[in-house]
Amino acid sequence: LPIVTTPRGREGIEGLDASSISCAGDAATIADQVVRFLREPKTAAAVGANCRERLLREYSHTSSRERFLKLYRGLIKEHTSG
């Protein structure tokens, strides 16, 4: 399913563009986007699939763990080399 949100709801989620999320600043525009997705199921499926792929790639447990391990390794290296 596609995501329709506000700019506030999108905060902290980097790298999402119109191909993977619909962002609207007011209730009327949110409603328009929801209706658009209901009328265009292929578009809705494509936007939803793009968003899901991006979120799994960037925010899954595995990708989060890898980012933390990289950070920790860098901190350990910095601490032990100085």
Side-chain angles (χ1 to χ4, degrees), residues 33-46:
Q33 289 301 310
V34 170
V35 169
R36 174 179 163 239
F37 287 138
L38 291 171
R39 289 184 177 157
E40 301 174 19
K42 288 182 182 179
T43 301

